[in-house]
Amino acid sequence: MREGFIEVTGGKVSYVIHNETADKIPLLVLHGGPGSSSYSLQGLKDLAIDRSVVLYDQLGCGKSDRPNDDSLWTLDRFVEEVGQVRKGLGLNKVHILGHSWGTTLAAAYYFSDPEGISSIIFSSPCLSAPLWEKDQKKNLTLLPLDVQETIKNCEENGTTDTPAFQKAIEVFNDHFVCRLKPYPEHLKQGKHFRNPHVYQVMWGPSEFTVQGNLKSFDCTTQLSEITIPTLYTCGRYDEATPESTEYFSSKTPNASFHVFEGSAHMAYIEEPEQYRQVMNEFLSQLDK
C-alpha cells in the first residue's frame, strides 16, 4: 500500500493505492457525498487481487485539505480534480467505479475526457438530480406517517438542523441507506471525515429537495454516448431505486445491470462478498 497527497486546484487531496505493482488496468474509486470520503469504501481494497485499486478523498473531506472557499464546490472543479489525480498517479488507462455522487462525477468526467477510460461501474447511481429527488419523495411515502410529516414540516420551516429532523432521517436511512442492524460501529467512527458544508452547497439541507448547485444536473440524454463497457448496480431497497438504475442502464449501449437483493444504498458493506464478486466478474471479463 502506498499513500500520499496530490496537488489539485484548491489544495491537496489524500490518496491510497493498493497493490500498486499489479499488471492489470487499475481501478479508480470515486466516493459518494458530496463532502463524504473514501472511508466507508476501504473494503474495496480486496479487489486489488491482480490490479491496483486507488482510493482518494475528494477536496474538502476525509484526510484531504478543507479550504474555506465555496467557489471550489462545483461539479466542474471536481471533474478537473479527477483528471489531476489521474495525471498525478500516472493512470493512463483506468477502470472507474463511482458510488452515489461518485457516479455523477464519473459520468461528468467521462463526457469531458473519455480517453483511457476502459469501463465505468455506476454503483447506486445519481445521474439525474430531478429524478433522484422524485424517487426520494416516493420513498418517503413508504415510511410511517409521523416520519413523513416531520420531514415535510422541517423542510418547509427550514428546521432541518433539529433533533426531530435528524431522528426522522435515521428512520429513512435505516430503510434506504444501510439496513444492517446494528449499524456498523466502524462507520460511526468515520463520521468526522465528512464535511456537511460541501453537501449543503452542492445538494442542500436534505436528500429530498435539491437546492444546491447540482439542482439541474441530468445526464440521461447523454448516456447513449457511453460506448465503453458499463455496469450499473444498486440495492433492492436503495435510494438509487432499481427502477431508475435499470432505466439508466437501458439508455447505455454496452451496459449490464445488477441488483443486490439484500441491500439498500451501501451494498459494498451490506453484502460485501457478493459486491466484490460482481465487481471482479465484470472486470475479469474485460481483462479477457
Side-chain angles (χ1 to χ4, degrees):
M1 184 182 82
R2 176 165 73 92
E3 51 189 328
F5 291 87
I6 295 171
E7 193 78 42
V8 300
T9 301
K12 293 180 180 179
V13 297
S14 170
Y15 72 86
V16 177
I17 305 177
H18 299 278
N19 197 6
E20 185 175 14
T21 59
D23 294 331
K24 293 183 179 177
I25 296 173
L27 176 67
L28 176 64
V29 179
L30 307 182
H31 66 71
S36 188
S37 75
S38 64
Y39 177 81
S40 70
L41 291 157
Q42 290 301 318
L44 297 187
K45 68 180 183 294
D46 291 343
L47 296 174
I49 301 168
D50 47 12
R51 77 180 72 252
S52 300
V53 172
V54 182
L55 297 103
Y56 76 96
D57 294 329
Q58 296 156 22
L59 192 70
C61 65
K63 297 179 180 179
S64 296
D65 288 348
R66 300 191 179 199
N68 184 23
D69 181 356
D70 284 356
S71 70
L72 295 169
W73 315 133
T74 67
L75 177 58
D76 287 346
R77 196 214 58 83
F78 279 108
V79 165
E80 181 183 22
E81 179 181 283
V82 177
Q84 291 168 332
V85 169
R86 279 187 69 188
K87 183 177 180 180
L89 296 178
L91 301 175
N92 298 320
K93 283 189 175 182
V94 70
H95 300 290
I96 292 180
L97 186 159
H99 180 259
S100 197
W101 137 259
T103 68
T104 307
L105 183 54
Y109 178 71
Y110 176 82
F111 294 132
S112 72
D113 185 13
E115 186 175 352
I117 303 177
S118 298
S119 74
I120 301 179
I121 298 169
F122 290 118
S123 174
S124 298
C126 177
L127 300 178
S128 166
L131 182 55
W132 183 277
E133 181 179 296
K134 182 180 177 182
D135 283 344
Q136 301 333 305
K137 292 189 185 314
K138 191 183 301 181
N139 283 336
L140 271 181
T141 67
L142 303 175
L143 298 180
L145 284 175
D146 61 323
V147 174
Q148 295 183 45
E149 286 300 314
T150 297
I151 290 174
K152 179 182 176 184
N153 292 337
C154 287
E155 282 206 316
E156 289 177 351
N157 298 325
T159 54
T160 55
D161 57 350
T162 60
F165 183 78
Q166 294 306 316
K167 188 174 180 180
I169 289 301
E170 286 178 12
V171 176
F172 178 88
N173 290 345
D174 287 345
H175 281 75
F176 302 110
V177 178
C178 181
R179 296 170 73 87
L180 293 180
K181 296 288 181 73
Y183 190 75
E185 195 61 36
H186 75 281
L187 292 185
K188 296 178 184 177
Q189 295 169 2
K191 190 174 181 180
H192 66 284
F193 286 125
R194 300 176 187 168
N195 186 344
H197 181 70
V198 178
Y199 179 87
Q200 182 92 12
V201 171
M202 298 188 70
W203 193 263
S206 78
E207 291 285 280
F208 314 105
T209 307
V210 191
Q211 300 176 12
N213 57 41
L214 288 173
K215 183 178 179 65
S216 61
F217 177 81
D218 187 340
C219 69
T220 51
T221 59
Q222 293 176 274
L223 294 178
S224 61
E225 300 170 20
I226 302 178
T227 55
I228 58 175
T230 308
L231 172 63
Y232 288 86
T233 73
C234 66
R236 176 58 64 191
Y237 310 99
D238 207 325
E239 290 179 283
T241 66
E243 293 77 16
S244 292
T245 304
E246 187 170 22
Y247 168 72
F248 296 142
S249 177
S250 72
K251 295 289 183 182
T252 310
N254 195 11
S256 51
F257 169 62
H258 182 87
V259 176
F260 295 100
E261 294 295 339
S263 296
H265 195 56
M266 303 178 80
Y268 55 90
I269 286 173
E270 295 168 282
E271 297 179 78
E273 291 182 10
Q274 187 179 1
Y275 190 89
R276 289 194 296 268
Q277 180 182 342
V278 170
M279 302 303 140
N280 274 324
E281 287 178 357
F282 174 73
L283 294 171
S284 296
Q285 288 174 358
L286 300 182
D287 291 333
K288 295 175 183 177

